[in-house]
Amino acid sequence: MPTILPTVTPEFEVGVGASTTSTDPVAPPLAAVTTPSSARAQPTPDLIERAGQMDAYMSGLVNQGFSGAVLVAYQGNTLISRGYGLANREAGIVATSSTRFRLASVTKPITALAVLRLVAAGKVQLEASICAYLDPCPATWQAITVADLLRHNSGIPNYTDFASFASVELQPATPEAIVARFRDLPLNFVPGSMYHYSNSNYVLLGLIIERASGQTYADFLQNDLFTLLEMSNSGLDPGDFSPLGGTRGYAGGALDIPLDVSNLFAAGDLYASVEDLHRLTRALYAGLLLPPELMTMMTTPRHMRYGMGWLIEQRGDQRLVYHPGWMSGANTWLGHYPDTGLTIVILSNNTQINLFPIADALAGLALN
């Protein structure tokens, strides 16, 4: 078994200055301290053994092309938090647990959380027409509610499926220019009646955040979440990789196409480290970011398996709340098992690695 396992440590607390009512029966309350809680159980030999198995498993995957970072936390202990392979092959930049990776659609749970925090503050109404927050707003959108966007129930076509997207995805785009690509198209179905995953929904949610908060999408996330949770390696990529510290994306053995992620805005334009996403997940499930009724709504599916920004599945006797992400140069997975307090974060810069079986394997090792 590998001996490089100082990664099994009691988790550190995050100061957020909010209620400590927990929605996760095994999540510790978060308080404004910077040292592990003395009351927290120390890692057991069994947990250390499981961490060793995870590390050996991930190290083996590097030989199969995996590169990125992985964090697994279980019942108050971080079992493993480290990088594997290279964040930038040309420059020889090694991936670490603080490396910044593009999130792709793992952006969506964060956008949904931001909207729901505005709901909690009384600045957004879930059942209001989106036209209350968008101008101009087509007549066909009058029946669409904010909740419909969050749940992918709007019927608005997914602009990234358009054949024309390939001709514009390498160039910068404003949110308004993105919306212009689908504003005048007919809806695919009556709003609220069906589920269809559409990046268009979350681009519009980003604009609603801006209208309701009076800030840009990037500034609102920074001020309302990232600074609050000390997520120092998270933010909005302007589209040119500049905040990523050299991280680049690959498709197998070659650089992937240099997608300008400004074309995705609030649907897929964020970056973060595995450590930062863990901080966010812990705060969310400790009840510090949303009132219980909104947290329940966010993690309860309406149509298909989708809640508000999350997919929800039953895996055996375990409930899993998660979201994957995939785009040029980014392959991501964020999931939490609320019944047992297990969090798994995988951020990879190789699009040709399937993260779903990796996430399942890590969950199996953690839950034993």
Side-chain angles (χ1 to χ4, degrees):
M1 183 176 71
T3 59
I4 52 169
L5 292 173
T7 54
V8 183
T9 56
E11 291 178 1
F12 287 71
E13 305 289 12
V14 181
V16 298
S19 166
T20 57
T21 302
S22 176
T23 60
D24 185 335
V26 295
L30 305 185
V33 297
T34 57
T35 56
S37 169
S38 59
R40 188 78 41 74
Q42 296 300 303
T44 64
D46 178 56
L47 287 180
I48 294 172
E49 180 179 4
R50 295 186 210 181
Q53 293 169 347
M54 292 176 191
D55 183 65
Y57 171 69
M58 292 307 309
S59 296
L61 290 180
V62 173
N63 296 328
Q64 300 178 37
F66 180 86
S67 57
V70 174
L71 185 146
V72 180
Y74 181 58
Q75 296 191 356
N77 289 287
T78 298
L79 301 188
I80 194 163
S81 178
R82 60 168 298 188
Y84 295 89
L86 298 175
N88 184 315
R89 300 176 188 176
E90 292 70 32
I93 300 174
V94 176
T96 72
S97 59
S98 59
T99 296
R100 298 174 174 184
F101 292 94
R102 285 177 164 179
L103 296 186
S105 283
V106 170
T107 295
K108 288 182 175 70
I110 301 175
T111 296
L113 174 59
V115 171
L116 291 175
R117 284 178 63 79
L118 288 167
V119 171
K123 296 182 178 182
V124 172
Q125 301 296 318
L126 283 174
E127 299 307 321
S129 168
I130 62 174
C131 291
Y133 309 98
L134 299 173
D135 184 25
C137 191
T140 53
W141 291 3
Q142 288 288 341
I144 300 172
T145 68
V146 175
D148 288 332
L149 296 182
L150 287 164
R151 294 178 174 131
H152 293 296
N153 298 159
S154 71
I156 298 174
N158 181 15
Y159 72 96
T160 59
D161 287 341
F162 300 167
S164 58
F165 186 66
S167 66
V168 297
E169 63 180 334
L170 303 187
Q171 303 301 319
T174 64
E176 292 75 17
I178 298 171
V179 174
R181 299 172 190 171
F182 58 83
R183 177 187 289 116
D184 298 325
L185 297 178
L187 300 181
N188 289 334
F189 51 82
V190 175
S193 66
M194 296 176 60
Y195 166 88
H196 179 71
Y197 188 90
S198 175
N199 287 300
S200 306
N201 294 324
Y202 275 73
V203 168
L204 293 175
L205 287 170
L207 290 173
I208 289 172
I209 288 169
E210 294 190 337
R211 175 68 178 271
S213 69
Q215 303 175 59
T216 66
Y217 171 75
D219 285 346
F220 181 75
L221 291 183
Q222 188 64 54
N223 296 329
D224 191 67
L225 286 172
F226 298 157
T227 298
L228 183 75
L229 299 176
E230 300 176 359
M231 295 171 63
S232 58
N233 287 309
S234 301
L236 185 78
D237 185 343
D240 60 2
F241 297 94
S242 58
L244 298 188
T247 299
R248 289 295 182 270
Y250 301 87
L255 279 166
D256 211 340
I257 64 171
L259 170 68
D260 191 305
V261 287
S262 63
N263 282 279
L264 300 176
F265 187 44
D269 192 6
L270 296 181
Y271 65 86
S273 67
V274 293
E275 292 173 338
D276 278 6
L277 291 180
H278 180 215
R279 297 176 82 87
L280 179 73
T281 304
R282 285 170 51 222
L284 181 63
Y285 281 91
L288 301 181
L289 300 180
L290 291 175
E293 62 275 13
L294 289 179
M295 183 66 183
T296 297
M297 192 176 296
M298 188 186 203
T299 57
T300 301
R302 173 67 64 88
H303 292 281
M304 304 294 288
R305 299 169 293 151
Y306 212 87
M308 292 182 170
W310 295 102
L311 286 153
I312 300 96
E313 294 181 2
Q314 194 70 27
R315 298 288 184 88
D317 61 350
Q318 300 291 329
R319 187 167 177 262
L320 171 62
V321 180
Y322 75 104
H323 210 294
W326 188 92
M327 67 183 187
S328 171
N331 198 355
T332 57
W333 201 95
L334 171 62
H336 184 73
Y337 292 78
D339 298 330
T340 53
L342 171 65
T343 296
I344 297 173
V345 190
I346 310 172
L347 301 180
S348 176
N349 58 344
N350 186 350
T351 58
Q352 293 190 358
I353 298 293
N354 187 350
L355 299 191
F356 284 80
I358 296 175
D360 286 344
L362 291 171
L365 290 171
L367 298 173
N368 199 24

